[in-house]
Amino acid sequence: MEIKSGIAVSPGIAIAKSMIIDSEDYRIPRRSINPSQRKVEIQRAREAFENAISELTKLQARQDATLTGIEQRQIRDIFAVHLRFLHDRSLRKKITDLIHTESVTAVYAVSKTLREIASHFTRVKDPYISERAADIYDIERRLLAQLLGSRREDIEHLTEEVVVVARELSPTQTAGFNKDFVKGIAADAGGRTSHAAIVARSLGIPAVVAMEDLTESISGSDTVIIDGNHGIVIVNPDSKTIAQYEGYSREFVELERKLDAIKKKPAVTRDGVKVTLLGNIEFPEEAEIVLQKGGEGIGLYRTEFLYLNRPSEPTEQDHYTAYAETIGAFKHRPVTIRTMDLGADKYTQSKRFVPEPNPFLGLRSIRFCLKNLAVFKTQLHAILRASVLGEVKIMFPLITNLQELMQAKMILRDVMEDLDEASIAYNKHVEVGIMIETPSAALTACSLARDVDFFSIGTNDLTQYTLAVDRGNELVSTLYSSADPAVLRLIRTVIQDAHKAQIDLSVCGEMASEPQYIILLLGMGVRTVSVAAPMIPEIKQIIRSVTMEECNKVARKILGMNSERQISNYLRDTARKVMPEAF
Ligand code: PEP
Ligand code: MG
């Protein structure tokens, strides 16, 4: 039995056999196999080579037919080099020897051998040879695609419950998991607000990230316990531990059942202050879950997920259908549609020939939309068409300055004019707001407030950009905290500026979904929060257990503190007193 800890990102307990998923883009972890499996792995490696050769040969024939002259020669040369490597007997022998002598998987042996050769090439002074390293990585990717392809199929056609273990999961991969079979998730990489973590939370799958080297010490079909409440993963637990965690799991389910009882009750503090409790969604089907959990509307619809679970770009009708379905669940309640927040860890990098060096600071979100007007207009067209179906609000993400906001609004007006010309109905008074998720937006909130109907504070990115800490990087995850005094000061500024300008304000970042923060946010003046659907009952229970006077006192005390550690401890202690079961 081995107990490892990471960061708890999605609550609940899971106990099941592990299924390890590899990713082509990352170093493949060393994984030992039973010596009896070596033959199978050697055969898998051989087949991967044969399939890669036939794939490349077909590709070569197709290219030969379409290209001419110099281009053709260059591409033919590249194919020839790759094929030569794939036919190289000594390379294959190295790989099969490695599987045989060290009892490792074919995936690991291929990756390790090719990466060693590539790194050897990189060190050679002759630029012709050092550039060949890129070819080797390419060959590695091709072979891994062959070897991992079947694994991907497996995850799509599960027939028994598993716990998924991976080096890193993308939001797209996570969104594709079938909740009926994927009972838990553990990843080596990631942080509390990485998008894969957010998706796991939305799906209600217990998850722990930042496990560092879990994938290296686990084999497929090991029994694994995921404790998504405390950030613990136990590999091959003994029977006593399994029984103990089965007990915790029953308690957790019982708590959820108890909380479900308040789903119809309002989110009102003990002294009668009403709080609006909305839900965050990534897919239209989740709107129904928000409703079931007692949410009063959608405060954040992450529409970029429309791009992440399909092979081609969504059409205007695809957008419209998704919005109409969401609005259908909340006819007379607000549905805040955030325009696509593509880029950074979502979608665009894999489409680029050369990925951006700093994607979180790059062509992301509203910046991407303002550079890809046709795509942006398609979405706005669909949102406006859907605006007559309910109480739709439009929200622009990652605004950093007034000019960007003005440009986005101008495009929206253009689309409105197009609809007017085509006599298509839309709500001419649709509310338009922005996410405040960059320090620059927070610091200029008073001027931005004049041109919008509402703000929603995106604490996930606001924390990342204020503290210069990558929200998805486990190496710096201990530095990532929304309880940092710098983050809290910015949040306070935004709340004050929104109140002064008399515009609506909500918090939709994960901070609002975490029980320890809700009392502070209320005390700072927040009256609307949007949280992950499974967290709605818990957050409501805390709201219903406190008075505004108590919240104000907590906020006053916290805003006088200047250490993140002190603030975190105080918040945790306070929330624990209010709702001990949540901790
Ligand atoms: C945020 O940044 O807080 C937010 C809600 O947006 P996302 O998590 O989708 O970046
Ligand atoms: Mg964000």
Side-chain angles (χ1 to χ4, degrees):
M1 172 163 109
E2 201 178 350
I3 303 175
K4 291 180 154 269
S5 57
I7 301 175
V9 292
S10 179
I13 309 279
I15 307 172
K17 295 268 184 224
S18 66
M19 171 161 202
I20 302 160
I21 304 194
D22 297 309
S23 157
E24 296 158 40
D25 302 334
Y26 293 93
R27 190 175 65 80
I28 302 293
R30 181 192 179 91
R31 193 162 317 117
S32 301
I33 50 167
N34 194 307
S36 63
Q37 273 182 292
R38 288 182 302 203
K39 252 185 163 168
V40 178
E41 290 298 305
I42 288 172
Q43 185 54 27
R44 289 189 71 219
R46 282 202 188 114
E47 280 169 15
F49 270 85
E50 293 315 320
N51 292 341
I53 288 172
S54 94
E55 185 182 79
L56 208 54
T57 314
K58 274 191 214 142
L59 213 61
Q60 188 180 33
R62 215 178 311 144
Q63 298 285 11
D64 276 354
T66 54
L67 297 171
T68 50
I70 198 161
E71 250 179 349
Q72 192 182 40
R73 222 175 18 252
Q74 279 170 346
I75 290 182
R76 199 184 304 135
D77 285 353
I78 294 172
F79 282 146
V81 170
H82 286 206
L83 281 168
R84 223 173 17 249
F85 268 107
L86 287 169
H87 281 293
D88 184 345
R89 278 171 187 278
S90 64
L91 173 65
R92 292 189 192 203
K93 185 167 180 316
K94 247 191 180 136
I95 290 168
T96 48
D97 282 356
L98 190 60
I99 298 173
H100 194 76
T101 54
E102 297 194 20
S103 296
V104 289
T105 56
V107 175
Y108 175 75
V110 163
S111 180
K112 181 161 195 290
T113 309
L114 286 161
R115 285 189 177 213
E116 263 173 18
I117 299 172
S119 101
H120 180 70
F121 277 21
T122 326
R123 288 196 295 271
V124 175
K125 289 256 164 13
D126 180 342
Y128 176 78
I129 296 185
S130 61
E131 278 162 22
R132 293 281 76 78
D135 289 312
I136 306 289
Y137 284 124
D138 224 20
I139 294 165
E140 183 209 9
R141 264 199 297 276
R142 191 173 294 283
L143 288 168
L144 291 184
Q146 292 294 337
L147 286 163
L148 296 173
S150 56
R151 190 68 59 79
R152 278 197 200 106
E153 289 265 295
D154 290 348
I155 189 84
E156 279 165 28
H157 301 105
L158 286 170
T159 50
E160 59 181 40
E161 294 185 354
V162 296
V163 156
V164 167
V165 178
R167 153 83 204 130
E168 174 156 41
L169 287 170
S170 70
T172 320
Q173 269 176 314
T174 316
F177 289 161
N178 179 344
K179 232 182 103 170
D180 293 338
F181 295 109
V182 177
K183 291 291 158 190
I185 295 172
D188 287 350
R192 172 116 195 109
T193 64
S194 51
H195 282 106
I198 289 173
V199 175
R201 196 150 46 240
S202 289
L203 293 173
I205 303 177
V208 180
V209 300
M211 296 301 306
E212 292 186 0
D213 59 357
L214 178 67
T215 45
E216 292 181 30
S217 54
I218 203 166
S219 305
S221 299
D222 278 345
T223 299
V224 177
I225 296 176
I226 307 269
D227 177 351
N229 301 329
H230 300 100
I232 291 170
V233 173
I234 305 173
V235 184
N236 289 324
D238 55 32
S239 50
K240 198 168 137 227
T241 311
I242 293 184
Q244 184 187 9
Y245 272 86
E246 280 170 347
Y248 293 157
S249 176
R250 279 193 295 274
E251 279 170 25
F252 185 75
V253 172
E254 177 57 19
L255 172 65
E256 285 202 316
R257 208 184 50 75
K258 229 167 75 193
L259 288 175
D260 268 355
I262 62 161
K263 71 178 175 208
K264 291 233 162 68
K265 299 199 171 145
V268 180
T269 60
R270 273 182 20 237
D271 50 350
V273 179
K274 170 80 182 86
V275 177
T276 304
L277 191 45
L278 308 168
N280 293 348
I281 61 167
E282 286 75 38
F283 299 100
E285 310 87 75
E286 289 174 277
E288 201 54 51
I289 306 174
V290 171
L291 196 63
Q292 279 166 20
K293 292 281 175 189
E296 301 169 63
I298 303 298
L300 168 65
Y301 176 3
R302 292 181 164 100
T303 60
E304 60 278 7
F305 277 80
L306 267 173
Y307 284 74
L308 304 182
N309 64 348
R310 68 183 70 219
S312 56
E313 258 184 38
T315 61
E316 200 255 359
Q317 189 57 31
D318 292 332
H319 279 281
Y320 178 81
T321 307
Y323 306 150
E325 185 182 335
T326 310
I327 298 161
F330 286 100
K331 263 232 135 61
H332 305 292
R333 298 286 185 169
V335 172
T336 312
I337 303 181
R338 175 174 80 178
T339 59
M340 59 190 100
D341 188 7
L342 291 171
D345 56 346
K346 287 181 261 174
Y347 188 75
T348 54
Q349 297 310 306
S350 58
K351 307 268 174 247
R352 287 178 63 88
F353 187 59
V354 181
E356 290 177 86
N358 273 313
F360 273 96
L361 301 180
L363 193 63
R364 181 189 168 187
S365 202
I366 194 72
R367 302 170 185 176
F368 174 85
C369 287
L370 293 176
K371 279 236 158 113
N372 292 277
L373 287 185
V375 178
F376 192 29
K377 283 186 169 183
T378 300
Q379 177 173 36
L380 292 175
H381 200 276
I383 301 177
L384 285 173
R385 268 212 300 140
S387 68
V388 292
L389 305 175
E391 209 188 298
V392 171
K393 299 177 186 216
I394 299 178
M395 177 156 76
F396 298 127
L398 207 84
I399 293 291
T400 50
N401 58 47
L402 191 58
Q403 191 187 334
E404 244 164 19
L405 169 61
M406 290 318 199
Q407 270 178 283
K409 285 180 70 171
M410 193 179 76
I411 310 296
L412 180 65
R413 273 195 302 275
D414 280 355
V415 179
M416 285 179 167
E417 277 169 24
D418 293 345
L419 288 169
D420 284 334
E421 271 169 34
S423 303
I424 297 174
Y426 66 94
N427 175 9
K428 290 192 167 39
H429 306 290
V430 62
E431 284 195 18
V432 176
I434 56 172
M435 293 202 57
I436 301 286
E437 49 184 349
T438 61
S440 60
L443 292 166
T444 55
C446 65
S447 76
L448 293 168
R450 289 185 212 120
D451 287 287
V452 293
D453 297 306
F454 64 92
F455 284 159
S456 190
I457 307 180
T459 53
N460 306 337
D461 277 315
L462 187 60
T463 304
Q464 147 167 277
Y465 293 125
T466 305
L467 304 178
V469 178
D470 181 341
R471 61 194 263 193
N473 182 343
E474 71 283 6
L475 302 178
V476 286
S477 59
T478 51
L479 302 175
Y480 182 95
S481 170
S482 300
D484 192 284
V487 179
L488 296 182
R489 260 175 229 180
L490 286 178
I491 293 176
R492 185 179 55 174
T493 305
V494 178
I495 296 170
Q496 286 172 344
D497 286 342
H499 287 172
K500 266 188 232 149
Q502 297 185 326
I503 61 166
D504 288 342
L505 171 117
S506 65
V507 176
C508 66
E510 295 308 298
M511 195 178 174
S513 298
E514 295 189 24
Q516 71 265 34
Y517 287 119
I518 188 69
I519 297 171
L520 169 66
L521 291 174
L522 297 182
M524 286 169 85
V526 173
R527 294 292 177 267
T528 303
V529 286
S530 189
V531 311
M535 297 307 294
I536 292 173
E538 208 163 309
I539 297 297
K540 188 189 279 184
Q541 174 65 15
I542 297 183
I543 294 169
R544 291 175 57 82
S545 310
V546 292
T547 64
M548 203 44 84
E549 185 48 40
E550 284 160 358
C551 298
N552 292 343
K553 229 163 99 186
V554 168
R556 272 198 301 276
K557 187 138 188 163
I558 293 282
L559 292 170
M561 294 180 183
N562 49 23
S563 134
E564 185 279 329
R565 175 76 60 89
Q566 197 186 6
I567 295 172
S568 280
N569 290 342
Y570 183 77
L571 285 176
R572 206 152 240 282
D573 290 347
T574 310
R576 201 193 297 263
K577 277 184 208 139
V578 174
M579 195 182 171
E581 318 89 279
F583 294 86

